[in-house]
Amino acid sequence: NDFYAMPAIVGFLIALGVAFCQNRKRSFSEKMEDVTHSMGDSNVMIMCLVFVMAGGFSGAVQAAGGVDSTVNFSLSILPPSVAVAGLFIIGCFISTAMGTSVGTIAALAPIAVGISDKTGIAGALCIGAVVSGAMFGDNLSMISDTTIAATRTQGCEMKDKFRENFMIVLPAAIVTVLIFLVLGGKTDYVVKDLSYNIFKVLPYLVVLIGALAGINVFIILISGTVLSLIVGLATGAFG
């Protein structure tokens, strides 16, 4: 999607350039010394490596068709009367597994628009379900940039952050599902073309279960990426 049209390194360089322009009382050499010194900090470097690997996993699993299969599989087992609430739940799962709210919104927004067109349910409601689910999952995801930064700087485990955060957002999520069930429950719309491959969902499950089990995040992301490549080759998604 357009949000990722510009390479991340370009954004980092722009941000670094802006940082160098600030605080004119300090010389360029002093600022450069701070930048290079910080590059040697283990927390900073680990965060950078996790960011890169999380991006690799997300790209590999999307290319293998994991997003489409997960969405179609979820919609196929959900009754039509909970289509809007289902969008929220699917958004929660995909965003938690991918670690990106924007990527989740891009994947689910076309489906939300289609459900709105076919059922007459307000488009804002359907899109709202997608956005709220994406934000919920990104908030909890073990490979989200915000989670990685928070846990590394505060010196806590990702699984502990997940458990504490989950108890905070769970009440809001329950209320949200109930609202979507009431507002979007009167429909007999059936989503067509729900082809999926259950094996393409496995990388997401591996990452989620591994993160919750407390396995090292590098091992989780490497395993998820390799599994995505294997699934992509086995199913013909990759040449």
Side-chain angles (χ1 to χ4, degrees):
N1 55 71
D2 292 339
F3 187 85
Y4 293 109
M6 182 180 71
I9 188 64
V10 177
F12 289 144
L13 289 175
I14 294 174
L16 188 61
V18 173
F20 272 108
C21 294
Q22 297 175 345
N23 193 0
R24 297 181 180 180
K25 295 181 180 180
R26 304 192 64 198
S27 66
F28 179 87
S29 59
E30 290 176 329
K31 296 175 182 177
M32 181 61 73
E33 178 66 24
D34 284 346
V35 171
T36 53
H37 175 74
S38 296
M39 286 182 179
D41 185 273
S42 61
N43 283 332
V44 174
M45 294 310 297
I46 287 175
M47 281 192 288
C48 291
L49 290 173
V50 174
F51 290 155
V52 171
M53 296 179 68
F57 166 73
S58 180
V61 75
Q62 287 189 65
V67 176
D68 293 336
S69 282
T70 301
V71 171
N72 289 346
F73 172 72
S74 302
L75 289 175
S76 67
I77 62 176
L78 291 173
S81 59
V82 298
V84 178
L87 286 173
F88 171 76
I89 296 172
I90 297 168
C92 291
F93 174 77
I94 293 180
S95 187
T96 302
M98 290 177 61
T100 166
S101 56
V102 175
T104 302
I105 293 170
L108 291 180
I111 296 175
V113 172
I115 291 177
S116 175
D117 290 341
K118 297 291 184 180
T119 62
I121 298 175
L125 181 64
C126 294
I127 294 296
V130 170
V131 173
S132 56
M135 296 302 175
F136 173 90
D138 189 26
N139 182 46
L140 290 177
S141 177
M142 278 68 70
I143 61 173
S144 171
D145 51 0
T146 50
T147 298
I148 296 166
T151 54
R152 294 304 306 179
T153 55
Q154 300 307 309
C156 61
E157 296 292 332
M158 289 188 181
K159 61 179 180 179
D160 295 329
K161 185 264 184 189
F162 176 89
R163 290 167 182 167
E164 291 293 330
N165 216 24
F166 183 74
M167 298 309 297
I168 295 173
V169 299
L170 181 60
I174 293 174
V175 172
T176 301
V177 170
L178 293 175
I179 292 174
F180 286 142
L181 286 174
V182 173
L183 297 179
K186 298 179 180 179
T187 177
D188 56 356
Y189 170 61
V190 177
V191 183
K192 298 180 180 179
D193 190 23
L194 292 178
S195 58
Y196 63 86
N197 188 324
I198 193 65
F199 291 106
K200 294 183 178 182
V201 185
L202 287 179
Y204 286 138
L205 296 177
V206 168
V207 169
L208 278 177
I209 296 172
L212 290 174
I215 300 175
N216 184 281
V217 65
F218 289 104
I219 297 176
I220 294 171
L221 290 174
I222 291 173
S223 301
T225 303
V226 172
L227 182 58
S228 298
L229 297 175
I230 293 174
V231 169
L233 289 171
T235 59
F238 301 151

